[in-house]
């Protein structure tokens, strides 16, 4: 199976110093929770619009919705870290494709959009 994609922010020392001067950690937790929840919803919507079924031979197989249901949220580090993504074993094959199947990426487009929003939310908080 392929590697998992992970989004991290480097340079947390300078960020944490600035945050300590200006705001409380509850504000950061709120931003993390909001952005993780929005990303989760966007991934579920995108998966529903992209994964519309497939052909197996001459028979069309309707989607079951298992991938959408497997996209879940988890918070760690006391709410300072949020994780979301599909939990099915075959989701990396859907996202990246195989030699027999074109990719149906429902993961990266919402992540790119939410990453910009998350960064702007943190920058607005630091000002």
């Amino acid at each position: 199976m392929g590697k998992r994609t992970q989004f991290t922010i480097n340079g947390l020392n300078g960020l944490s110093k600035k945050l300590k001067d200006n705001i409380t950690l509850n504000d950061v937790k709120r931003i993390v929770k909001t952005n993780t929840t929005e990303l989760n919803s966007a991934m579920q919507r995108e998966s529903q619009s992209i994964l519309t079924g497939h052909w197996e031979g001459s028979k069309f197989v309707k989607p079951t919705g298992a991938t959408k249901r497997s996209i879940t949220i988890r918070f760690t580090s006391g709410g300072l870290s949020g994780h979301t993504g599909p939990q099915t074993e075959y989701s990396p094959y859907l996202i990246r494709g195989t030699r027999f199947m074109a990719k149906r990426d429902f993961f990266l487009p919402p992540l790119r959009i939410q990453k910009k929003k998350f960064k702007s939310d943190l920058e607005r908080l630091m000002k």
Side-chain angles (χ1 to χ4, degrees), residues 49-113:
S49 68
I50 289 179
L51 305 175
T52 56
H54 62 279
W55 290 92
E56 285 184 8
S58 61
K59 184 178 179 187
F60 183 75
V61 179
K62 293 181 182 180
T64 62
T67 302
K68 177 187 173 192
R69 287 189 309 273
S70 77
I71 300 172
T72 57
I73 297 176
R74 181 172 44 97
F75 294 101
T76 58
S77 302
L80 292 174
S81 180
H83 309 272
T84 185
Q87 304 300 317
T88 55
E89 286 183 19
Y90 54 85
S91 60
Y93 302 114
L94 293 172
I95 294 168
R96 292 186 184 91
T98 67
R99 63 184 172 149
F100 300 109
M101 178 181 79
K103 70 178 185 174
R104 295 180 244 167
D105 191 2
F106 58 90
F107 183 80
L108 288 177
L111 179 64
R112 286 184 186 116
I113 294 168

